[in-house]
C-alpha cells in the first residue's frame, strides 16, 4: 500500500513536471511543426470518415460522433506510427499509399450506401461483377458528385507534402534509434486512446460490434475503418463457421423443427390448384402503394389493379430482402428461408441443398422453367438455378436483344413477354403440366429512360372556367421531374407490358388451365422527400405544404418503412366473383408464399420458416433480415429499439421480447440451414 502511494506520488510529480515543461518549451507547437506530415494524415483520414457519416446518417450526433472520431483516430495513429520506421524522405510515400487506401474505403462505402442503403462488405466483392453489369444505371444513379469529395484528403496531403518539401522538411537526418523511439511513442499514444475507447464501450456496443449486422450502428460508434476491418473477419467467419459448430447448429435446427408436423394442416384451399399450370411473375420493384394512385384520371397500374380486383390480393405483403435484393426474394420465395446474415445465398452458398417449390412441383410431374432476358451470371443465377431445380433457364442468349428493344438494364419487358410466347407454346405442346417463372427487368432503378416508357404524365391538369365563360387548361408539374414520378412512368410501362402479356396468353389459349401469380420483388428505394411531395403537394406554390398546414400529412420513417409493401396476387381467368376473389389484409411475408401456395397445389415442406397464411391468419408475423418484424398489431424496429402500434390494442413488453426472440431464433436457424448445408442428402434424418 505504501509502495503504491509512493509510486502514485512519484508518477504525479513526474507528470506535472512534464506538463509544465510542455508549457514552458512550447513542446506542442514544436511537435506539430516536426510532425506535420503525420498530423495532416490524421486529419484527412478522420475527416473523410466523418464526411461519409455526414452523407449517410443525416443526424448531427451520428456524424459528429465522438466515439467514431476517436476510433478513426486510433486506426490512423496506429497506421501512421509505422511511418517513423522509414527515413523522412520515404515517409510521404508510405503515408500517401495508406491515405489512398483509406480514402478508397470511404469512397466505396459512399457509393455502396447510395445503392444499397448499407455499408460495403468484402463478402460482396465477388458480386462487383454484377454491379458492374448494371453499367450506366449504376453510374447514373449511384456515382454522384458527393462520392468524389473524398479525393480532397489525398489532395490536401499532396499539397502539404509539396510545401514542406520546399522548406527542406525531408532533409533532416534521423538515426535508427530515434526513428524507433518515435514509432513506439506514436504507437503508445494510439494504445492510450484505445484504452480510453474500450473503457467507454457499453455492452450494447460490444454485442453489436460482434454481430455486425447493424452496420449503421457499428459505423456510427466505431467509424468506417474499424467497421471494415471487423467486416473482413465477419465475412470469412461463415467459411470458418461451416467448418466448426456444426453440432450446435444441427441441434438448434432439430429443436426448432421438433414440434412441426410431418404432414400439412389442411384448410378450405387445400389442393384447389393441384395440377394447374403456373405463370409466376417476378415484378421488378413493384410496390403496393403505387396501385392506389392515379394521375389525370389514369391509374398507375390499371392491369395490376384489375387482377387484384378479380383475384386473390394480399395487400399487406412484404418482401424480406437483404443486400441480395432480387436474388434474396427469389431465395425466400422458392425455399421459405431467409437471406443469409453475411454475403448472399445466391452467390456464397449456391452449392447448398435447398427444398424448393420447383423441385416439389417436379415431383408432381411438372416441367419447370425460368425466363430472364439478362446475363445468366447476374446474381450467379446460372449456378443457383441448378440448386433451385429448374429444368430450363432461358436467359439473355435465348432472346433477341438489340439497341432498339433495350430499356435500362436490358431487353424491354414488352419485348421480353412477346418473345417468350413461342417458347411457352412449345413447352405447352410438349408437357402435360408446367411451371414458368418470368423475371421482369425494365422497372429497375434508376427509372431514367422516361422517353422509352411511353406517355404517362404525372402532373396535374385542371380546366379553369373564367368569368366570361372562356376555359383555360392549367398544368401543375406535381411529380414530373422527380425520381418517384419517373418511377410511376416506368411502373406504368411495366404494367402495360403485363396487360399485353395477359392478352397474348389469353389469345393463345394459354390461360385456360393456368394460375397467374405475381409478386413485387422489393421496394424501389425511392427518396422519402418525394413521398412527402406526393402526399403534400402545394400546387399554388409548386412546393411541399408547410408542416404547420392543417392538410399536411407527415410521411415519417415508420410510414416509409411500412410503405415498402409489395403486391402479391393469385389470379385465374375465372376467379372473379368466386370465394377465391378476395383481399387478404393479414400481414404476410415472402417466406409465407411457399407454404400458402404449397397447400393450394398439394406440396409441403416441413422445413419452411413461413406459414400458410390461411392457417396463421391474423396471428402471422413477418421477420426481416435486419431483425425488425411486423405483425397486424405492431411494427418493431430492432435497430432503433422502437415500435409503432398499428392497432388500438395494448402493447406489452412481453410481446415485444417474445417476438424479438422468435425473430432472432428464426434468423439463426435459417442461416445455419444454409451455412451448414443442413438439408444435405447425406443427412438422412433431415431429407427423406
Ligand atoms: C438483374 C435483376 C435486378 O438481372 O434481377 O436485380 P436487383 O438489382 O433488383 O437485385
Ligand atoms: Mn429486383
Amino acid at each position: 500500500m505504501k509502495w503504491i502511494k509512493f509510486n502514485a506520488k512519484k508518477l504525479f510529480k513526474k507528470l506535472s513536471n512534464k506538463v509544465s515543461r510542455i508549457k514552458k518549451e512550447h513542446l506542442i507547437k514544436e511537435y506539430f511543426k516536426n510532425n506535420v506530415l503525420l498530423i495532416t494524415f490524421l486529419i484527412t483520414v478522420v475527416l473523410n470518415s466523418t464526411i461519409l457519416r455526414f452523407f449517410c446518417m443525416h443526424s448531427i450526433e451520428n456524424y459528429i460522433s465522438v466515439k467514431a472520431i476517436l476510433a478513426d483516430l486510433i486506426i490512423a495513429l496506429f497506421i501512421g506510427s509505422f511511418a517513423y520506421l522509414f527515413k523522412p524522405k520515404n515517409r510521404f510515400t508510405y503515408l500517401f499509399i495508406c491515405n489512398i487506401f483509406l480514402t478508397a474505403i470511404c469512397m466505396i462505402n459512399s457509393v455502396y450506401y447510395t445503392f444499397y442503403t448499407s455499408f460495403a462488405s468484402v463478402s460482396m466483392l465477388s458480386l462487383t461483377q454484377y454491379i458492374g453489369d448494371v453499367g450506366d444505371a449504376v453510374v447514373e444513379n449511384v456515382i454522384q458528385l458527393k462520392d468524389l469529395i473524398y479525393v480532397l484528403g489525398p489532395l490536401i496531403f499532396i499539397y502539404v507534402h509539396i510545401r514542406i518539401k520546399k522548406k527542406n522538411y525531408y532533409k533532416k537526418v534521423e538515426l535508427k534509434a530515434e526513428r524507433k523511439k518515435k514509432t513506439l511513442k506514436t504507437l503508445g499514444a494510439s494504445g492510450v486512446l484505445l484504452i480510453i475507447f474500450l473503457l467507454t464501450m457499453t455492452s450494447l456496443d460490444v454485442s453489436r460490434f460482434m454481430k455486425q449486422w447493424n452496420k449503421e450502428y457499428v459505423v456510427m460508434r466505431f467509424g468506417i475503418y474499424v467497421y471494415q476491418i471487423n467486416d473482413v473477419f465477419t465475412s470469412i467467419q461463415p467459411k470458418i463457421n461451416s467448418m466448426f459448430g456444426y453440432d450446435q447448429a444441427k441441434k438448434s435446427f432439430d429443436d426448432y423443427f421438433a414440434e412441426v408436423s410431418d404432414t400439412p394442416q389442411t384448410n378450405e384451399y387445400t389442393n384447389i390448384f393441384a395440377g394447374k399450370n403456373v405463370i409466376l411473375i417476378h415484378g421488378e420493384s413493384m410496390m403496393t402503394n403505387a396501385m392506389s394512385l392515379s394521375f389525370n384520371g389514369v391509374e398507375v397500374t390499371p392491369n395490376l389493379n384489375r387482377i387484384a380486383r378479380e383475384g386473390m390480393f394480399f395487400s399487406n405483403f412484404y418482401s424480406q430482402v437483404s443486400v441480395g435484393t432480387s436474388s434474396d426474394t427469389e431465395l425466400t420465395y422458392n425455399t421459405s428461408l431467409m437471406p443469409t446474415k453475411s454475403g448472399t445465398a445466391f452467390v456464397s452458398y449456391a452449392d447448398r441443398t435447398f427444398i424448393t417449390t420447383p423441385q416439389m412441383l417436379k415431383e408432381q410431374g411438372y416441367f419447370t422453367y425460368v425466363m430472364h432476358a439478362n446475363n445468366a451470371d447476374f446474381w450467379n443465377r446460372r449456378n443457383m438455378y441448378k440448386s433451385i431445380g429448374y429444368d430450363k433457364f432461358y436467359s439473355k442468349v435465348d432472346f433477341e436483344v438489340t439497341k432498339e428493344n433495350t430499356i435500362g438494364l436490358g431487353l424491354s419487358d414488352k419485348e421480353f413477354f412477346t418473345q417468350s410466347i413461342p417458347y411457352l407454346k412449345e413447352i405447352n405442346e410438349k408437357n402435360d403440366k408446367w411451371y414458368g417463372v418470368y423475371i421482369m427487368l425494365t422497372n429497375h432503378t434508376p427509372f431514367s429512360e422516361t422517353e422509352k416508357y411511353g406517355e404517362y404524365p404525372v402532373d396535374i391538369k385542371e380546366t379553369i372556367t373564367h368569368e366570361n365563360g372562356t376555359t383555360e387548361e392549367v398544368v401543375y408539374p406535381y411529380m414530373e421531374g422527380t425520381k418517384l414520378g419517373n418511377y410511376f412512368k416506368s411502373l406504368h410501362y411495366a404494367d402495360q407490358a403485363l396487360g399485353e402479356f395477359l392478352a397474348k396468353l389469353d389469345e393463345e389459349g394459354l390461360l385456360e388451365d393456368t394460375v397467374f401469380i405475381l409478386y413485387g420483388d422489393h421496394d424501389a428505394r425511392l427518396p422519402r422527400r418525394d413521398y412527402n411531395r406526393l402526399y403534400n403537394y402545394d400546387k399554388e406554390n409548386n412546393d411541399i405544404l408547410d408542416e404547420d398546414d392543417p392538410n399536411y400529412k407527415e410521411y415519417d420513417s415508420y410510414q416509409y418503412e411500412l410503405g415498402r409493401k409489395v403486391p402479391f396476387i393469385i389470379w385465374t381467368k375465372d376467379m372473379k366473383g368466386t370465394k377465391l376473389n378476395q383481399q387478404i389484409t393479414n400481414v404476410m411475408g415472402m417466406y409465407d408464399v411457399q407454404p400458402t401456395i404449397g397447400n393450394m397445389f398439394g406440396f409441403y415442406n416441413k422445413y419452411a420458416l413461413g406459414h400458410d397464411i390461411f392457417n396463421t391468419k391474423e396471428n402471422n408475423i413477418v421477420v426481416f433480415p435486419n431483425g425488425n418484424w411486423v405483425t397486424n398489431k405492431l411494427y418493431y424496429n430492432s435497430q432503433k429499439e422502437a415500435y409503432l402500434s398499428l392497432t388500438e390494442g395494448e402493447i406489452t413488453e412481453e410481446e415485444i421480447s417474445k417476438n424479438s426472440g422468435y425473430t432472432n431464433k428464426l434468423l439463426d436457424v435459417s442461416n445455419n440451414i444454409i451455412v451448414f448445408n443442413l438439408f444435405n442428402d447425406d443427412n438422412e434424418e433431415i431429407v427423406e
Side-chain angles (χ1 to χ4, degrees), residues 86-316:
F86 297 93
K87 287 187 182 139
K89 60 177 180 154
N90 295 331
R91 273 175 209 162
F92 168 76
T93 317
Y94 168 76
L95 287 177
F96 186 65
I97 292 170
C98 296
N99 203 335
I100 293 284
F101 183 72
L102 297 175
T103 302
I105 290 182
C106 292
M107 238 167 136
I108 291 167
N109 276 286
S110 181
V111 173
Y112 192 88
Y113 195 91
T114 320
F115 199 50
Y116 290 114
T117 341
S118 179
F119 293 98
S121 167
V122 290
S123 64
M124 296 290 292
L125 270 184
S126 51
L127 301 182
T128 46
Q129 49 178 311
Y130 311 117
I131 294 167
D133 268 6
V134 185
D136 290 349
V138 172
V139 173
E140 208 171 305
N141 190 39
V142 172
I143 296 185
Q144 302 168 355
L145 210 61
K146 69 172 174 57
D147 301 320
L148 299 176
I149 198 165
Y150 305 96
V151 180
L152 259 180
L155 287 181
I156 294 174
F157 198 62
I158 292 174
Y159 173 76
V160 172
H161 161 67
I162 294 171
R163 286 208 53 170
I164 58 176
K165 199 177 171 187
K166 278 186 192 155
K167 291 184 181 168
N168 293 335
Y169 179 82
Y170 298 116
K171 292 265 162 70
K172 268 180 270 166
V173 182
E174 266 178 24
L175 295 174
K176 213 170 176 187
E178 198 181 340
R179 298 206 305 261
K180 208 169 151 193
K181 205 171 152 193
K182 275 189 168 181
T183 308
L184 288 176
K185 274 189 171 174
T186 320
L187 268 179
S190 73
V192 170
L193 291 182
L194 179 65
I195 292 169
I196 296 173
F197 184 85
L198 293 177
L199 288 176
T200 56
M201 261 171 94
T202 63
S203 57
L204 190 69
D205 291 344
V206 178
S207 128
R208 296 211 164 153
F209 179 76
M210 300 305 283
K211 289 183 183 153
Q212 182 85 352
W213 59 259
N214 196 334
K215 295 181 177 177
E216 298 222 356
Y217 187 90
V218 176
V219 173
M220 181 180 87
R221 291 294 170 108
F222 298 87
I224 193 67
Y225 309 117
V226 175
Y227 160 78
Q228 209 72 80
I229 295 165
N230 186 27
D231 166 70
V232 171
F233 289 104
T234 38
S235 296
I236 51 172
Q237 207 182 338
K239 310 269 180 298
I240 299 165
N241 271 0
S242 59
M243 291 191 266
F244 312 102
Y246 175 88
D247 294 342
Q248 177 62 31
K250 172 77 171 69
K251 191 184 171 305
S252 67
F253 169 86
D254 288 340
D255 291 349
Y256 190 90
F257 290 104
E259 302 294 307
V260 181
S261 164
D262 288 332
T263 51
Q265 185 183 338
T266 56
N267 57 41
E268 56 179 316
Y269 303 104
T270 306
N271 292 334
I272 50 165
F273 295 138
K276 296 249 188 235
N277 298 322
V278 179
I279 287 203
L280 171 78
I281 305 286
H282 171 112
E284 179 57 49
S285 306
M286 287 187 170
M287 294 176 71
T288 309
N289 57 16
M291 291 173 69
S292 55
L293 299 170
S294 295
F295 290 87
N296 298 302
V298 185
E299 289 169 312
V300 177
T301 57
N303 292 294
L304 267 187
N305 294 6
R306 178 173 70 85
I307 60 170
R309 255 193 328 267
E310 296 177 1
M312 203 178 244
F313 174 38
F314 302 81
S315 58
N316 200 0

Side-chain angles (χ1 to χ4, degrees), residues 28 31 37 85 102 166 204 217 281 312 348 373 525 582 619 663 673:
I28 293 181
Y31 180 82
L37 201 65
L85 289 179
L102 297 175
K166 278 186 192 155
L204 190 69
Y217 187 90
I281 305 286
M312 203 178 244
S348 309
R525 295 168 194 264
Q582 54 174 306
N619 297 318
T663 300
I673 288 173

Side-chain angles (χ1 to χ4, degrees), residues 282-285 325-327 379 381 440 444 521-522:
H282 171 112
E284 179 57 49
S285 306
T325 45
S326 277
S327 74
W379 284 131
R381 283 181 172 114
M440 295 177 76
H444 191 283
D521 70 339
H522 47 75

